Amino acid sequence: MTTRAATILRTSRATLTGRAVALVTAAALASASLPAPARAQGVPTIRDAETEQLLRDYMRPLLRVAGLTQQNIQVVIVNDGSFNAFVVDARRIFVNAGALMQAQTPNEIIGVLAHETGHIAGGHLSRMREQLAHAQTASIIGLLLGVGAMVAASQARGSSGNAGAAILAPQEAIRRSLLSYQRGQEEQADKAAVKFLNATGQSPKGMYDTFKRLSDQMMFQTRYANPYLQSHPMPADRVEVLEGLAKTSPYWNKKDSPELQLRHDLMRAKLYGFLDRGGTIARRYPMSDQSLPARYARAIATYRHADLRVAIAQIDALIQARPNDPYFYELKGQALMEGGHPLQAIPALRKAAQLAPEPTLINIMLGQALVATNDPRHADEAIGLLSRAVARDTESPEAYSQLAMAYGRKGDIAHADLASAQAAFARGDYTTARQLAARAKTRLKVGTPAWVRADDIATVRMPSRPQPH
């Protein structure tokens, strides 16, 4: 694009044209409202078996009625305290830990997830990319026409004219068009969310309450905003339209089940317990609160900030109150392992893995505990657990690292190098991954599955860095 413009305008105007095209492209990309953390590599995420299982349970009926069951859509938890959720592709929904912690009921988060599911079901991301491509093409045409007019005018007047106005004039119209398109997508996602909630027999009230609360919080900052320069509908207008849709639902007054509410409250307590400071947790969950979630949060805070022995007693009391909850056993195992007692952690983690509906993350922790005992007799069990775990969760550098150590305990250096290469690859350290994979290839039998995996990593083409124009 820049090359063609430079040819038309000759070298003297190439820099001006290149910058104008970059400005148009930047404006178009900014209008896509893609959150900055998602655009950058290394999004700070949280992995937790309990929270991820609850979110899977929230999503399952929504994906079924949206026709997305086969797409293996995952919910990724972002380590951010603000209330936000977003999509960046057709297979992942990102939700901030702050949204999970602030949502009082399951229905509130389910409504948010329904909205993001509406974006995926509507194909909004691919359509937005098409709009961006059209916008870039239109911006270049407008740019060239503007510069052509500027050149003709300057020749007639014998002066340079207003170059900035001629070049940038089309950009504002294009930006507004993209923003209008995105506002339409948000409205469509809201309607789809209500449709999905009704189809699954769930209330849209939580979704309405959430957007109403956010609208009230944004009232002052959006009071004088230009509605045509927003990527989302104006909060008050959006809530008004959503209210009209939601209140016609036959499930408007339907409440979450007590069991689901308890799981939601336990999830929130866990996040607060791990992410908040000890003093903040004590104020949020005072000793006068003897509910299970409050005791859960305090037990986590005790093991993290105070006395492990007291924490284990508190966790044992939780297990006694709810003996089939896998995540209380998981917490006990984690507390013991991080407290320097991996051998004592193994029975609790075995029990947690036995009870959990999806034990992959727990098995990774169990494998870590087995490796941490430094007992070669535990190496085979650890290798089996961790190999199955990485087969299900291929993007876990921690699991690959533990697998490498397990192989190391057996003296199997070739497979240890391969697992270390896979760990480095999952972290995005491609140089180290290629070096380790190349070394592993020299020790593995040619043509075996392990050798092929090592060869794939050793010969992978490095992602190219974007070149400056």
Side-chain angles (χ1 to χ4, degrees):
M1 293 184 295
T2 305
T3 302
R4 183 183 175 192
T7 301
I8 293 172
L9 298 175
R10 303 188 188 279
T11 306
S12 61
R13 302 193 195 277
T15 302
L16 173 62
T17 306
R19 288 178 180 173
V21 173
L23 284 171
V24 174
T25 304
L29 291 173
S31 73
S33 188
L34 185 63
R39 288 199 303 268
Q41 291 185 351
V43 179
T45 60
I46 294 171
R47 300 300 309 273
D48 176 65
E50 180 175 13
T51 307
E52 290 183 12
Q53 183 60 48
L54 183 59
L55 292 173
R56 278 193 292 269
D57 291 343
Y58 286 168
M59 286 293 298
R60 191 173 295 110
L62 299 173
L63 296 177
R64 176 175 51 81
V65 298
L68 299 172
T69 303
Q70 302 303 317
Q71 286 192 210
N72 192 31
I73 294 172
Q74 299 177 339
V75 181
V76 179
I77 307 161
V78 181
N79 189 3
D80 188 291
S82 62
F83 197 111
N84 194 20
F86 52 92
V87 292
V88 297
D89 54 37
R91 65 183 186 89
R92 288 176 294 183
I93 295 175
F94 292 81
V95 58
N96 283 7
L100 301 176
M101 294 159 74
Q102 293 173 45
Q104 299 287 326
T105 68
N107 191 237
E108 292 180 20
I109 283 296
I110 291 170
V112 171
L113 295 174
H115 173 86
E116 302 306 330
T117 302
H119 279 303
I120 296 176
H124 292 172
L125 295 168
S126 60
R127 292 180 183 179
M128 177 56 76
R129 281 192 288 270
E130 292 174 3
Q131 290 294 315
L132 289 172
H134 294 329
Q136 291 181 40
T137 301
S139 69
I140 295 164
I141 294 172
L143 173 70
L144 297 178
L145 290 175
V147 173
M150 179 195 72
V151 172
S154 63
Q155 289 175 345
R157 292 192 304 266
S159 62
S160 61
N162 190 343
I167 292 175
L168 299 179
Q171 298 179 24
E172 182 62 18
I174 293 168
R175 185 165 72 100
R176 289 188 180 222
S177 175
L178 285 168
L179 290 171
S180 175
Y181 183 81
Q182 190 176 4
R183 287 195 299 273
Q185 288 186 332
E186 293 298 327
E187 293 169 357
Q188 292 171 24
D190 287 348
K191 292 177 181 177
V194 174
K195 175 184 175 182
F196 298 154
L197 293 168
N198 285 334
T200 54
Q202 300 182 91
S203 173
K205 186 176 186 299
M207 178 183 171
Y208 168 78
D209 289 343
T210 298
F211 286 158
K212 178 68 166 63
R213 183 173 68 252
L214 295 176
S215 173
D216 292 343
Q217 293 171 359
M218 296 172 62
M219 186 178 298
F220 178 78
Q221 66 186 81
T222 60
R223 184 176 178 183
Y224 300 108
N226 185 337
Y228 299 105
L229 297 181
Q230 308 304 310
S231 62
H232 289 55
M234 293 298 286
D237 296 338
R238 183 180 194 177
V239 168
E240 182 179 357
V241 173
L242 182 57
E243 182 179 16
L245 290 170
K247 287 190 174 179
T248 61
S249 169
Y251 307 103
W252 172 259
N253 291 315
K254 186 175 180 179
K255 303 294 185 184
D256 296 306
S257 69
E259 174 62 21
L260 193 63
Q261 183 66 57
L262 177 59
R263 290 179 63 194
H264 185 83
D265 291 341
L266 287 169
M267 176 268 293
R268 295 178 66 217
K270 187 175 198 175
L271 291 174
Y272 277 119
F274 276 103
L275 299 179
D276 266 0
R277 298 177 180 177
T280 306
I281 297 167
R283 290 190 295 273
R284 185 178 298 277
Y285 296 101
M287 287 299 297
S288 58
D289 185 351
Q290 288 299 306
S291 66
L292 208 61
R295 291 161 59 192
Y296 196 21
R298 290 197 296 268
I300 294 168
T302 301
Y303 114 70
R304 291 183 60 234
H305 302 292
D307 188 291
L308 178 62
R309 181 180 56 82
V310 174
I312 294 300
Q314 293 175 342
I315 298 170
D316 283 339
L318 292 171
I319 292 173
Q320 186 176 6
R322 196 172 164 91
N324 291 321
D325 191 316
Y327 308 111
F328 291 163
Y329 293 99
E330 179 196 26
L331 178 63
K332 182 176 181 178
Q334 183 174 352
L336 286 166
M337 188 175 63
E338 293 183 2
H341 307 284
L343 190 62
Q344 292 93 316
I346 291 172
L349 291 173
R350 286 195 208 278
K351 185 68 172 179
Q354 177 188 342
L355 292 171
E358 172 42 67
T360 298
L361 291 179
I362 298 173
N363 279 333
I364 293 173
M365 192 182 300
L366 175 56
Q368 182 180 358
L370 291 165
V371 170
T373 64
N374 292 316
D375 187 341
R377 292 174 297 180
H378 289 142
D380 284 333
E381 183 183 1
I383 289 170
L385 286 167
L386 293 165
S387 296
R388 289 191 293 273
V390 296
R392 292 184 63 90
D393 190 342
T394 59
E395 299 180 359
S396 173
E398 295 80 9
Y400 285 119
S401 294
Q402 294 300 319
L403 182 59
M405 286 189 279
Y407 277 121
R409 295 281 187 272
K410 290 191 65 177
D412 188 342
I413 305 305
H415 284 89
D417 279 345
L418 174 58
S420 295
Q422 290 171 303
F425 192 85
R427 288 194 303 270
D429 184 355
Y430 302 116
T431 300
T432 300
R434 291 182 66 176
Q435 292 171 349
L436 289 167
R439 191 169 72 185
K441 282 177 61 179
T442 65
R443 296 187 170 108
L444 293 166
K445 185 177 180 180
V446 176
T448 61
W451 184 91
V452 172
R453 288 197 299 273
D455 184 62
D456 287 342
I457 296 173
T459 58
V460 70
R461 182 176 296 178
M462 297 296 100
S464 59
R465 295 182 178 180
Q467 297 299 316
H469 291 289

